[in-house]
């Protein structure tokens, strides 16, 4: 955590890189012919789409369409059985999750996975990579370096925690806060990495309306600063108001793609949602 | 020294030696969630490694290098590291109870090797007559024991300091994150397999250190010192003391060893002679009971873990 970050929005004091500071927009995610099978079941069956840099792309489809499987395949949690995934032109489809993350892609989980036995603050402080203090001998031979990094790390973690509205619970164990707050902890952790692309798996599910507004608000704010989003969500109001571009999946395939208005008018989308599987 | 004081010194030497083993298990289980049920195996490797390196040359035995004691202990620890690396690479992909079964089996195998590889380990007799470090400088065994208690206490203190310093930092946070949710840790740029291997080896090296200190004190090794029950005694110490806390590890080691010693004393004092040989089983039952009661009534142990891991996040 020794790199210095350009100052961000002074109102929140949050240092997320703004796209203007970077020049060209970064964070274009492209999937080409992605296949993931479980035995005979082709859960993801040749999916191709692109999440353009600096946009919010929605991924929708009925339950069992393969959205979360696709997420896991993109994030490296599942090895691909075919196809490729590129992030700004770099192939990430064959990398393990921790290397995908290092390449600038962060994700959250459908069911939140906070480190339940750790405080919210430490959940977020955990994130930066290459912390000197993660090598056990550095606490013996370079305690000053570890302490200094931790101070910087903590300061930045607290900014992000504040941005996510979690300051009141920063000292609580992440396992003891509400499900909606846990989703915000996941968002905070992802932001701590300063990613190029953020994959959110149902950020609104099971979240109370007030907290949902906070989440939507934060996504819009971050997107303004150039962060690319790919979001799975069932809440149609949420998706329609937030997304620039929508990809619709059913039975492992992409069945429609376009702006919210275009997509919602397509008969195969209505059929996928209302009339059983398209096949 | 009175008989009681002499016994107390003896008792503390053994208890503090075990406290080092418990601290090794604590970073594995308490911090990282690695279910190592083969503790005694690594304690044995450290002990036999030290014994083989420190022992005098004997015609019928391989080894007997006659190294100075500190070097021999380091050698035993290195051997432990190598064994843990091999075992770790083979088993650390296994989860919880599967890892426990695998490591338990490995510990049994290690004990069987010790029992049967006679030309290296002395078989059932073990290796006897090993030199005890600086023994010649003391007039009485009691004085020597007091000195050795100092050695063991300093080593336990050093291990405590080293672990506590390392754990109350981002390293401890990394271990705990792997324990809490490996998938999440992986999604945040960490390689849990590497972390698990590192911690497994480090913990086993500490068990090896304790094995070496044990040999230096008693002056011999025998396969009877490395029965599976020791693994469960060590586990009881960790659970009673409070896993995830190094102070708890030490408190648990001394407390549980005291209970073990006192129950042994009570059995020999009060049980009719005819039942003495069965009396040992009562102690084993007590250990099991202690683990179960702690888990039911005080699952966090006597001293639970702190909420913040890194001292910098307090």
């Amino acid at each position: 955590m020794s790199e210095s970050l350009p100052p961000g929005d002074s109102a929140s004091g949050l240092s997320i890189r703004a796209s203007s500071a970077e020049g060209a927009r970064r964070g274009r995610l492209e999937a080409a012919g992605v296949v993931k099978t479980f035995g005979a079941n082709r859960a993801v069956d040749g999916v191709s789409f692109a999440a353009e840099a600096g946009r919010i792309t929605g991924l929708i489809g009925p339950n069992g369409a393969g959205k979360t499987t696709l997420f896991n395949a993109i994030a490296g949690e599942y090895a691909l059985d075919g196809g490729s995934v590129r992030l700004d032109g770099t192939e990430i489809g064959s990398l393990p999750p921790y290397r995908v993350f290092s390449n600038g892609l962060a994700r959250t989980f459908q069911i939140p996975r906070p480190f339940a036995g750790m405080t919210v603050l430490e959940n977020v402080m955990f994130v930066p990579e290459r912390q000197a203090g993660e090598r056990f001998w550095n606490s013996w031979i370079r305690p000053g370096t570890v302490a200094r990094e931790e101070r910087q790390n903590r300061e930045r973690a607290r900014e992000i925690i504040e941005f996510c509205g979690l300051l009141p619970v920063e000292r609580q164990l992440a396992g003891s806060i509400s499900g909606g707050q846990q989703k915000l902890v996941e968002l905070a952790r992802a932001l701590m990495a300063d990613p190029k692309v953020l994959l959110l798996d149902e950020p609104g599910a099971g979240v109370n309306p007030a907290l949902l507004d906070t989440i939507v608000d934060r996504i819009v704010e971050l997107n303004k600063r150039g962060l690319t989003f790919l979001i799975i969500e069932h809440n149609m109001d949420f998706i329609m108001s937030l997304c620039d571009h929508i990809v619709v999946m059913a039975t492992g395939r992409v069945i429609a793609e376009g702006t919210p208005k275009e997509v919602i008018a397509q008969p195969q989308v209505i059929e996928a949602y209302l009339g059983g599987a398209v096949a | 020294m009175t008989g009681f004081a002499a016994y107390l010194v003896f008792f503390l030497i053994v208890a503090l030696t075990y406290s080092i083993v418990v601290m090794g298990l604590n970073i594995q289980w308490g911090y990282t969630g690695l279910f190592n049920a083969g503790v005694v195996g690594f304690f044995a490797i450290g002990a036999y490694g030290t014994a083989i390196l420190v022992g005098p040359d004997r015609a019928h035995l391989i080894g007997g290098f006659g190294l100075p004691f500190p070097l021999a202990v380091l050698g035993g620890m290195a051997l432990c590291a190598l064994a843990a690396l091999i075992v770790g690479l083979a088993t650390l992909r296994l989860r919880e109870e599967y890892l426990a079964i695998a490591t338990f089996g490995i510990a049994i195998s290690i004990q069987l090797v010790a029992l049967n590889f006679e030309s290296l380990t002395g078989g059932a007799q073990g290796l006897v007559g090993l030199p005890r470090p600086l023994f010649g400088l003391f007039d009485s065994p009691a004085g020597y024991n007091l000195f050795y208690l100092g050695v063991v206490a300093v080593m336990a203190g050093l291990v405590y300091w080293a672990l506590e310093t390392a754990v109350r930092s981002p390293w401890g946070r990394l271990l705990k994150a792997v324990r809490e949710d490996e998938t999440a840790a992986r999604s945040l740029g960490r390689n849990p397999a590497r972390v698990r291997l590192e911690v497994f080896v480090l913990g086993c090296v500490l068990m090896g250190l304790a094995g070496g200190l044990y040999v230096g004190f008693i002056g011999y090794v025998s396969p009877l010192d490395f029965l599976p029950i020791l693994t469960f005694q060590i586990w009881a110490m960790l659970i009673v003391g409070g896993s995830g806390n190094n102070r708890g590890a030490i408190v648990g080691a001394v407390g549980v060893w005291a209970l073990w010693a006192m129950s042994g004393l009570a059995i020999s004092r009060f049980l009719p002679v005819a039942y003495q040989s069965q009396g040992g089983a009562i102690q084993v039952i007590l250990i099991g009971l202690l683990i179960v009661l702690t888990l039911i009534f005080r699952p966090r142990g006597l001293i639970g873990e702190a909420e913040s891991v890194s001292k910098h996040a307090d």
Side-chain angles (χ1 to χ4, degrees), chain A:
Chain A
M1 256 300 291
S2 54
E3 82 257 51
S4 63
L5 297 155
D9 186 321
S10 55
S12 74
L14 182 63
S15 44
I16 295 288
R17 280 193 195 108
S19 58
S20 55
E22 284 292 296
R25 295 201 155 193
R26 49 191 208 130
R28 181 177 195 272
L29 182 70
E30 186 184 3
V34 170
V35 177
K36 176 65 205 171
T37 60
F38 296 102
N41 175 21
R42 295 174 78 82
V44 175
D45 192 5
V47 167
S48 303
F49 72 93
E52 297 297 340
R55 296 275 190 79
I56 301 177
T57 303
L59 181 59
I60 65 170
N63 287 323
K67 306 180 296 292
T68 295
T69 305
L70 178 63
F71 255 35
N72 283 330
I74 291 173
E77 195 58 47
Y78 297 154
L80 300 186
D81 293 310
S84 74
V85 181
R86 286 169 180 279
L87 176 57
D88 285 340
T90 308
E91 174 66 43
I92 58 166
S94 55
L95 300 178
Y98 50 92
R99 299 272 314 277
V100 170
F101 175 85
S102 306
N103 273 276
L105 185 144
R107 58 93 54 104
T108 66
F109 294 89
Q110 190 172 0
I111 297 160
R113 307 191 77 123
F115 302 119
M118 284 158 57
T119 63
V120 169
L121 178 62
E122 285 211 280
N123 263 266
V124 181
M125 285 178 70
F126 167 76
V127 174
E129 295 185 275
R130 290 178 295 280
Q131 298 181 36
E134 284 194 0
R135 300 181 186 281
F136 59 85
W137 56 87
N138 276 339
S139 295
W140 304 333
I141 59 175
R142 294 165 59 200
T145 307
V146 173
R148 197 184 62 243
E149 279 189 14
E150 279 283 89
R151 263 197 308 279
Q152 291 167 350
N153 186 5
R154 181 184 139 129
E155 203 169 301
R156 189 168 138 76
R158 295 200 71 211
E159 284 172 14
I160 287 172
I161 285 169
E162 185 177 12
F163 177 80
C164 293
L166 290 169
L167 267 188
V169 295
E170 71 168 342
R171 295 305 174 122
Q172 292 187 30
L173 294 181
S176 69
I177 58 179
S178 76
Q181 287 172 324
Q182 290 181 347
K183 295 215 166 211
L184 282 164
V185 168
E186 289 208 330
L187 182 65
R189 284 196 311 207
L191 293 180
M192 191 70 182
D194 189 26
K196 297 188 241 179
V197 179
L198 193 42
L199 269 52
L200 304 179
D201 196 346
E202 298 196 28
V207 177
N208 76 53
L211 218 48
L212 187 60
D213 287 345
T214 311
I215 291 175
V216 170
D217 190 51
R218 299 296 87 171
I219 293 172
V220 170
E221 175 65 35
L222 290 163
N223 179 245
K224 273 190 201 151
R225 299 180 197 175
L227 189 54
T228 306
F229 281 90
L230 178 62
I231 304 177
I232 296 177
E233 185 52 63
H234 285 297
N235 181 332
M236 279 301 155
D237 292 338
F238 183 108
I239 280 287
M240 292 297 155
S241 62
L242 207 55
C243 297
D244 308 301
H245 186 82
I246 291 178
V247 177
V248 188
M249 279 181 77
T251 59
R253 298 201 175 133
V254 174
I255 58 164
E257 212 182 328
T259 63
K261 269 189 187 146
E262 287 165 8
V263 157
I264 208 164
Q266 297 203 23
Q268 71 268 34
V269 174
I270 295 162
E271 195 185 335
Y273 269 92
L274 300 176
V278 171

Side-chain angles (χ1 to χ4, degrees), chain B residues 8-119:
Chain B
L8 194 65
V9 170
F10 172 83
F11 164 82
L12 281 176
I13 289 172
V14 178
L16 289 180
T17 303
Y18 286 156
S19 81
I20 296 175
V21 184
V22 181
M23 285 189 275
L25 181 63
N26 190 29
I27 58 165
Q28 293 179 339
W29 169 253
Y31 284 95
T32 319
L34 296 177
F35 200 150
N36 180 359
V39 174
V40 68
F42 295 96
F43 185 63
I45 289 176
Y48 272 98
T50 303
I52 289 163
L53 292 172
V54 83
D57 194 16
R58 292 186 178 97
H60 61 288
L61 290 176
I62 307 170
F65 294 94
L67 291 183
F69 182 71
L71 271 184
V73 173
L74 282 177
M77 290 164 73
L79 204 64
C80 248
L82 186 67
L85 193 67
I86 294 168
V87 170
L89 285 172
T91 63
L92 283 179
R93 294 179 49 167
L94 303 174
R95 292 292 163 273
E96 284 117 37
E97 50 272 60
Y98 300 100
L99 178 64
I101 291 166
T103 48
F104 186 72
I106 286 161
I108 302 269
S109 313
I110 291 169
Q111 204 231 345
L112 288 175
V113 169
L115 191 60
N116 292 293
F117 195 167
E118 290 191 5
S119 53

